[in-house]
Amino acid sequence: PNLDAGLGGMDTKVASLEAELARMREALEQLQAESSEKARESEAAAASNKSAASIKLKPSNRLALVIGNARYKNVPTLDNSNKDAEAFASVLKGLGFKTSLHLDLSQRAFNKAVREFKDQLQGGEEVVVYFAGHGVQLASTNYLLPIDVGGDSADQVKDEAIELQRVLDSLSEKELQF
């Protein structure tokens, strides 16, 4: 489905983008506050001679996977998803995240990006995964759409799209903090 469908004019699009930007800023402010709190907790743990294993947050343990898909081949293209992904990646880098930014990924490249990101994880890191692009829910399953997904049928989408829960389950095997 086209995420821009149903928007009635440029004013509505701008208002929608401004609302999304405000939501993202609020989430980032919350992330900054949580990060500061965890950093204070880590300093207190170090001061009381606790072992390195008890320190839950190190700035080097903040990683982000950011994917923006806009140039779809078989479904409507999107105007802003790559710009959104780039902006989000920039903000995360400013917050100390080692950020992997990928744009316009095919199914194969999407799966490779997730695998390579997962391979970087040791366990215990703070992780953010952000996707800007088409997504669809079929039955009770959510899918992220790579740029080469076919749009002929629901079965084709199920075969060619990236199942969100599979990505989350794969990353949760690493016992991440965030």
Side-chain angles (χ1 to χ4, degrees):
N2 183 349
L3 297 179
D4 289 336
L7 294 179
M10 186 58 72
D11 290 338
T12 305
K13 287 182 183 181
V14 169
S16 175
L17 289 172
E18 287 175 346
E20 181 64 15
L21 181 59
R23 188 193 62 74
M24 289 170 49
R25 283 185 178 144
E26 184 177 308
L28 287 171
E29 287 173 7
Q30 182 179 358
L31 181 62
Q32 285 175 318
E34 290 172 4
S35 176
S36 295
E37 182 178 327
K38 287 184 179 187
R40 284 191 299 276
E41 290 173 5
S42 293
E43 289 171 8
S48 65
N49 294 323
K50 290 189 177 183
S51 70
S54 69
I55 299 173
K56 295 182 176 181
L57 174 66
K58 296 178 186 174
S60 62
N61 288 349
R62 303 178 95 191
L63 295 109
L65 174 63
V66 178
I67 298 172
N69 280 352
R71 295 182 185 101
Y72 287 90
K73 298 175 183 176
N74 302 309
V75 296
T77 61
L78 297 172
D79 294 332
N80 296 312
S81 57
N82 284 355
K83 292 174 190 171
D84 292 346
E86 289 169 340
F88 204 77
S90 177
V91 170
L92 288 171
K93 284 179 185 176
L95 292 172
F97 281 82
K98 180 181 175 188
T99 304
S100 300
L101 172 64
H102 302 275
L103 301 176
D104 294 321
L105 296 181
S106 66
Q107 178 191 32
R108 184 179 199 147
F110 199 120
N111 285 324
K112 181 180 179 190
V114 172
R115 269 193 316 276
E116 287 175 352
F117 183 72
K118 181 182 173 187
D119 289 345
Q120 295 179 43
L121 304 175
Q122 303 294 313
E125 294 94 345
E126 286 190 352
V127 173
V128 172
V129 177
Y130 177 83
F131 175 74
H134 282 303
V136 64
Q137 182 175 349
L138 300 172
S140 61
T141 304
N142 292 298
Y143 296 91
L144 308 176
L145 302 187
I147 62 165
D148 58 348
V149 70
D152 296 334
S153 70
D155 286 337
Q156 185 178 19
V157 170
K158 288 177 186 178
D159 290 342
E160 298 174 2
I162 309 301
E163 187 178 333
L164 176 59
Q165 192 60 51
R166 186 178 61 82
V167 172
L168 297 175
D169 290 347
S170 173
L171 294 177
S172 70
E173 293 172 4
K174 296 288 189 164
E175 298 180 13
L176 305 170
Q177 288 190 28
F178 179 70

